Structures are given as C-alpha cells and as structure tokens.
Amino acid sequence: MTDRLIYLDNAATTFPKPPEVLREMVETYARIGASPGRGNHDLAAQAGAFVDGARARVARFFGAPDPTRVIFAANASDALNTVIQGLVRPGDHVVATRLDHNSVLRPLHHLAERGTITFDLAPFDERGFVDPDAIAALLRPNTRAVVMCHASNVLGTLQPVAEIARRCAERGVPLVVDAAQSAGQVPIDMAALGIAALAFTGHKALYGPSGIGGLVLMPGLEVETTRFGGTGMDSASLVHSQAYPLRLEVGTLNLMGVIGLALGIDFVAGLGLATLHDQEMGLLARLRDGLAAIPAVTLYCANDLAGHLPVLTANVAGVHPQDVGAILDGDFGIAVRVGVHCAPLVHRDLGTIERGAVRFSLGAFNTTDDIDRAIEAMRAIPHPGRP
Amino acid sequence: MAEPIRTRALRFVAGREVYFDTEGFFWDPDDWSDRAAEELARESGIERLDAVQWRVLRFLRAYYLDQGRAPLNRDLKAGTELSLVELERLFPQGIRLGARRLAGLPNPKTCLD
C-alpha cells in the first residue's frame, strides 16, 4: 500500500486544494474579514469591494455581462433551489432529465408533491447523452424552464447544452444549467451557449473551499425572492431588497468562501482549463483502458470518452461496490465514491440502483502512477470465480 | 418517483422473531446473538463459522457497541489483523453483506449513498 492517499473522488470535492489558494484565502480573510457592505468603516468597504470584484470575476469566467446578477450561495444545490423556487408559479411545468442530481430532482419532486408544478424528465441514450429533440418534445405551453445538468456526476457525460438552449429559445423557455461538475472543467460562456441561469459550486473543479457557490443570471431572467432577511441595504424597510444580487441573497455572505472561490478561479484560469482537462482526460483514458482489460469489471457509458469529464463509473462482478470502495481505501489508500451518487434515476436506468457503483473522478493533482495503482488495486479485488 | 422507504420484515431466527431490513441487516442490533449469527451464516453458505470469522464478528460488535459506529477501514484492518481483501474472501457475501451483516451492525446504506 502506498503511504500517500490516492484521491480519486474529485467529483465529490477536489482534494487537496492548491496550497496557494488556502494560504492566500486565510491571509486575505485575516486582513479584510469584516462584514462586506455593512457599516461605514473602511474595513467593511474593503470587504465589500472584494466581493464586488469576485462577482465581476465570476461573471467574466462564465461569460455573463452583469456582475450584479452573480448571486453567491452555499453550493450548487443551494443555488438551484433559489432559481427553481424563484422561477416557478402554480400550474407551471418544468423539464429536467434522468441524468440529473437530486439537487435538481428533489426540488422539482417537492414542488410537484405540493401540487405547485408538474415536470417531465428526458431520458439519456446508451452513451449517456440527452437528445435535444427529447427535451424539445417535452416542452409545453406552460413550461416555465428546462433545468438540467451540464455534465452527469455519474457518467461524466457533457450534455449538448448549446443545442438544447437553442431549442428552448425557439419556445421562449429559459435553460437553467447545473454546472456543479463542469464549472472549472470546461469553458462555459453563458452568452454564447444561450444559458439563462447557471448554478455552480466552488469546491469541485474550481478548487475553492466548500460552502461557497453561486447562481449567475443572464439579463431578462427574473427570479423571485424566496428567502428573506438582512442584506445590509434598505434596512428601514420590511421589504427584502429587490435589486440584484441582494434580491436573492440573505444574511452575511461567506466572505472566506468568496475569497477562496475567486482564488480558485484564478488557479484554474492560470493553469488553463484546456490544459487541465486534457491532462485529466489523458489519465482517464488510461484508467478506462486498464479497467476495461479486467474481465470482472463493468464500465458504464465509457466506450467513447469524447464529450466526457474525467469521471468513470464501474462495478466488479459479484462484489458489493461498498466492499470495492472499502478495499480500495483500506488496502490500497485509494479514495473513490461508492453508492448511487445522489443521482438515483441514472442508476435506475443503468440497472445499478440496488447496490450502486464505484466512481473514479480525477483532479488536477492526479498522476499516471495514481492511475496505474488504481488499476492494479482493482485487479486485486477478489470476486466470485477468482481465488 | 416515490421516495424509497426502508422496509422491514419479521423472520423467525434463532428461536425468536426478529426484524430484518430488505438487505437482511438486523433492524435492531440488540436482536443479535451468537445463534442468530450462526444461522445467518449457514444461509450465506458458511456451514460453521470458524475461529477467524468469529474473531472478525467479535471485533465488529465490540467496536460498534463501544463507539456507536462501524470501524473505519483502517481500524477494521488493525482490529482484525486482516487486510480487507482477506476479509472479503473470508465471507462469501463479502465485507458488507457478510461480515458486517452477520455481526449485527446496522445497514450502512443511509450514510454511504
């Protein structure tokens, strides 16, 4: 067993974080960690200015024109709740996909259970992609939005959001994209892609800390306030501030998280998204080839890695995936994610809902040696038919 | 898309009625007994639990009763003096559905999914 952890659970959260991000985050917070935008002392103004700068940084990174429409949130799930619940009205219809994470499915299910909305789910094909025609076929006159993942957190497949956005635009339906997995992995230009709203998290491929994410809105999409409280503005009024971004933010911001997010974006932008992605996809192909050569291993939707993120999901015949994960961790020092990955419908359609599967997900710090060790470890797992 | 509900079933095991969940884990870890472990082991293809298997089950139970949770993977290795590959081989149904279930520990499904 190696004496260092081989971390292949980067789709859950990237680890380790870049030391320079952590160091500078703490130093900056120690220097300006007042309540941003609250009070008239200079430190609060400095903190507020940092947050404004971070909004501009996020807007540029995602190709959105208006930094005031960058709303900070705790994570992508939080941002998705904000946009979904702030968009829909009683009687509305929403389209999502069977690839989606519970961060999309559960808010929709909750609203449907309450009788507020109805929703339909587009299927994915045998390669793990949603057909834009399937989305278009589900649109109704009362469809309020299409909400879907940019990339499956189970299969790693990047969905054709530009084409889907075009179909949505033809029907006047905004496309809300869950970019939890893709933000920081691939360039996202909301304006070019036609995305109306984008939910992202900072702790995955943006290499920031957990507890920070956000929602980016394009001009013209109005989202109602669904949580209310202090904003540091209009404090004499009992009405929640209605100007963006405060319209959708409540309480003191996670300033440390905002700092870390901005530094994380600088980190990935500095290295280059394409460089990082190519490096990780090269390693993923090596992993895929190595695992595919093990007869007991089943891979899901991984024959062709074009249009994929560095995520690979597998099972070992006759071995519970939780045992696979335990063996990889305990005997080989390899951290992976087992279970159904908060995406139950993907696993239902793959036929893995009962036990789940083993997900390998790569990050900026993985090496060829990590991959070779993971392949060897998978080869060593005992399974029925093997002594 | 109804939410899956964890259901339980009553079975007669080791001379008494005991609730098990859908994966065969004890609903209440306090219902576990040596006799019940032996009986469940036979169902899983182990005619008679040997000394090493018993050592694993005793360690798992003692750890759970002391700590209120299952051991970490590294603690499991250290406590049983076996690798997890060896543990997987030791029980026909593996670590989770074999060792852990036979030791009467709760189903870890809720915390690992």
Side-chain angles (χ1 to χ4, degrees), chain A residues 322-323 326 329-331 355, chain B residues 73 77 84-85 88 95-96:
Chain A
Q322 289 185 9
D323 288 359
D329 181 39
D331 285 359
R355 294 187 167 192
Chain B
N73 295 322
K77 281 181 71 174
L84 296 186
V85 163
E88 182 74 16
I95 299 166
R96 180 180 186 277

Side-chain angles (χ1 to χ4, degrees), chain B residues 26 32-42 44 46 48-65 71 76 79-80 82 87 90-91 94-105:
Chain B
F26 283 86
W32 185 89
S33 65
D34 284 18
R35 232 182 107 194
E38 294 275 19
E39 206 166 310
L40 295 175
R42 270 194 298 280
S44 73
I46 303 172
R48 186 180 179 79
L49 287 164
D50 65 23
V52 180
Q53 289 164 328
W54 268 119
R55 178 158 56 84
V56 171
L57 299 190
R58 299 271 184 235
F59 169 75
L60 279 166
R61 267 206 88 68
Y63 191 101
Y64 174 73
L65 292 174
L76 184 55
T80 60
L82 293 168
L87 273 173
L90 194 59
F91 294 89
I95 299 166
R96 180 180 186 277
L97 290 173
R100 182 174 173 138
R101 188 176 64 89
L102 294 184
L105 269 60

Side-chain angles (χ1 to χ4, degrees), chain A residues 1 106 109 119 121 319-320 322-323 326-327 329-331 337-342 345 354-355 380 382 387, chain B residues 1-4 23 73-74 77 82-86 88-89 92-98 107-109 112-113:
Chain A
M1 174 174 158
R106 285 183 171 174
H109 178 72
F119 70 95
L121 300 172
V319 185
H320 200 295
Q322 289 185 9
D323 288 359
I327 292 169
D329 181 39
D331 285 359
R337 176 76 184 273
V338 300
V340 297
H341 312 102
C342 299
L345 303 185
E354 291 301 322
R355 294 187 167 192
Chain B
M1 347 205 324
E3 192 70 21
E23 287 193 295
N73 295 322
R74 60 173 173 263
K77 281 181 71 174
L82 293 168
S83 72
L84 296 186
V85 163
E86 289 170 323
E88 182 74 16
R89 285 199 180 103
Q93 291 180 296
I95 299 166
R96 180 180 186 277
L97 290 173
N107 191 336
K109 188 167 187 165
L112 282 175
D113 279 2

Side-chain angles (χ1 to χ4, degrees), chain A residues 38-262:
Chain A
R38 267 86 161 166
N40 67 346
H41 53 80
D42 284 357
L43 204 56
Q46 276 181 281
F50 189 97
V51 169
D52 290 343
R55 291 190 205 279
R57 185 81 185 84
V58 170
R60 276 199 307 277
F61 189 72
F62 291 122
D66 185 355
T68 68
R69 284 176 159 258
V70 172
I71 292 99
F72 288 120
N75 46 51
S77 295
D78 187 28
L80 285 161
N81 270 274
T82 296
V83 67
I84 291 169
Q85 301 200 49
L87 269 179
V88 300
R89 306 278 182 282
D92 279 348
H93 172 253
V94 175
V95 173
T97 81
R98 295 185 67 83
L99 284 175
D100 283 307
H101 187 277
N102 277 337
S103 58
V104 169
L105 298 175
R106 285 183 171 174
L108 296 181
H109 178 72
H110 169 75
L111 290 163
E113 285 283 294
R114 289 173 60 127
T116 306
I117 66 163
T118 56
F119 70 95
D120 285 302
L121 300 172
F124 58 93
D125 65 19
E126 70 284 354
R127 294 168 54 242
F129 295 95
V130 172
D131 184 345
D133 286 341
I135 298 279
L138 293 172
L139 298 178
R140 299 181 192 166
N142 64 332
T143 301
R144 183 71 181 96
V146 172
V147 186
M148 64 177 290
C149 60
H150 190 191
S152 163
N153 70 311
V154 178
L155 303 172
T157 46
L158 274 163
Q159 302 308 308
V161 291
E163 179 59 20
I164 292 168
R166 196 176 66 73
R167 304 296 184 90
C168 290
E170 289 169 359
R171 305 281 289 272
V173 175
L175 174 63
V176 177
V177 169
D178 165 14
Q181 293 298 328
S182 57
Q185 272 287 343
V186 292
I188 299 174
D189 186 325
M190 291 176 66
L193 292 170
I195 297 169
L198 185 95
F200 68 96
T201 193
H203 69 100
K204 297 183 193 271
L206 292 174
Y207 291 87
S210 52
I212 187 68
L215 175 67
V216 187
L217 303 176
M218 290 298 277
L221 184 70
E222 303 306 331
V223 178
E224 295 300 322
T225 307
T226 50
R227 291 180 300 174
F228 307 86
T231 59
M233 294 284 286
D234 313 314
S235 294
S237 171
L238 293 180
V239 178
H240 190 92
S241 311
Q242 285 302 290
Y244 292 102
L246 302 180
R247 176 188 179 101
L248 300 177
E249 289 178 353
V250 58
T252 302
L253 281 179
N254 173 7
L255 178 60
M256 177 100 92
V258 171
I259 296 167
L261 171 66

